[in-house]
């Protein structure tokens, strides 16, 4: 093996490509994550304070288990907020979820309507799937490009 700069850069590019190939999220990951977020939104909107606390604990435990499973399958984990330019997708997802949570709470506390919460839950489920997959694609593209 040569120690010239071009061969070393080639090794780095090959390593980045190998990592990008390992970061293929299983097809079921985002739908499950979206379902957890949607269920959390519904439970948090309609539950009492005690049930909200229990819901938070159950949600965090389920997300931790999902993350651990992902890490066991891929051997890697990357926080959405530490992913360079790809982080914009994670921030967008967080913003949609936060807006949906606040809108759901506002509607539930000012009206007797329940269907908007279910609609917002469906929106968050779809958002997690779509933006989560875009985040994954952006991370892999960044790794391959060396960005």
């Amino acid at each position: 093996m040569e120690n010239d700069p071009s061969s070393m850069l080639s090794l780095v590019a090959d390593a980045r490509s190998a990592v990008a190939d390992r970061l293929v999220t299983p097809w079921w990951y985002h739908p499950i994550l979206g379902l957890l977020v949607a269920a959390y939104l519904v439970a948090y909107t309609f539950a009492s304070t005690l049930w909200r606390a229990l819901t938070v604990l159950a949600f965090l435990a389920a997300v931790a288990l999902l993350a651990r499973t992902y890490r066991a399958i891929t051997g890697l984990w990357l926080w959405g907020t530490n992913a360079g330019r790809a982080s914009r997708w994670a921030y967008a997802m967080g913003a949609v979820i936060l807006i949906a949570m606040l809108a759901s709470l506002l509607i539930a506390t000012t009206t007797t309507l329940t269907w908007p919460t279910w609609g917002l839950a469906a929106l968050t489920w779809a958002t997690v799937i779509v933006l989560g997959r875009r985040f994954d694609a952006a991370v892999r593209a960044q790794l391959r490009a060396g960005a």
Side-chain angles (χ1 to χ4, degrees):
M1 182 184 331
E2 299 179 28
N3 285 330
D4 67 279
S6 63
S7 66
M8 298 301 263
L9 288 174
S10 178
L11 287 173
V12 170
D14 291 345
R16 285 181 173 272
S17 183
V19 169
D21 291 340
R22 289 179 63 190
L23 277 175
V24 176
T25 303
W27 68 268
W28 45 263
Y29 179 85
H30 292 107
I32 290 174
L33 180 60
L35 184 61
L36 291 172
V37 172
Y40 175 71
L41 182 145
V42 169
Y44 196 82
T45 300
F46 295 128
S48 67
T49 303
L50 174 63
W51 281 108
R52 282 181 180 170
L54 294 174
T55 300
V56 168
L57 293 175
F59 173 75
L60 293 175
V63 168
L65 178 62
L66 188 61
R68 187 176 334 142
T69 302
Y70 177 89
R71 191 174 311 138
I73 290 170
T74 64
L76 301 166
W77 180 257
L78 179 65
W79 287 100
T81 56
N82 294 333
R85 291 184 53 113
S87 292
R88 69 179 184 242
W89 297 110
Y91 288 124
M93 182 188 316
V96 170
I97 292 168
L98 178 63
I99 290 167
M101 290 284 294
L102 293 174
S104 182
L105 284 170
L106 179 65
I107 292 166
T109 57
T110 60
T111 72
T112 58
L113 299 175
T114 58
W115 67 264
T117 294
W118 293 100
L120 290 166
L123 173 71
T124 60
W125 177 74
T127 296
V128 169
I129 293 171
V130 171
L131 296 185
R133 289 180 177 163
R134 288 185 185 233
F135 170 80
D136 287 350
V139 167
R140 286 192 302 275
Q142 278 179 200
L143 286 169
R144 287 192 177 98

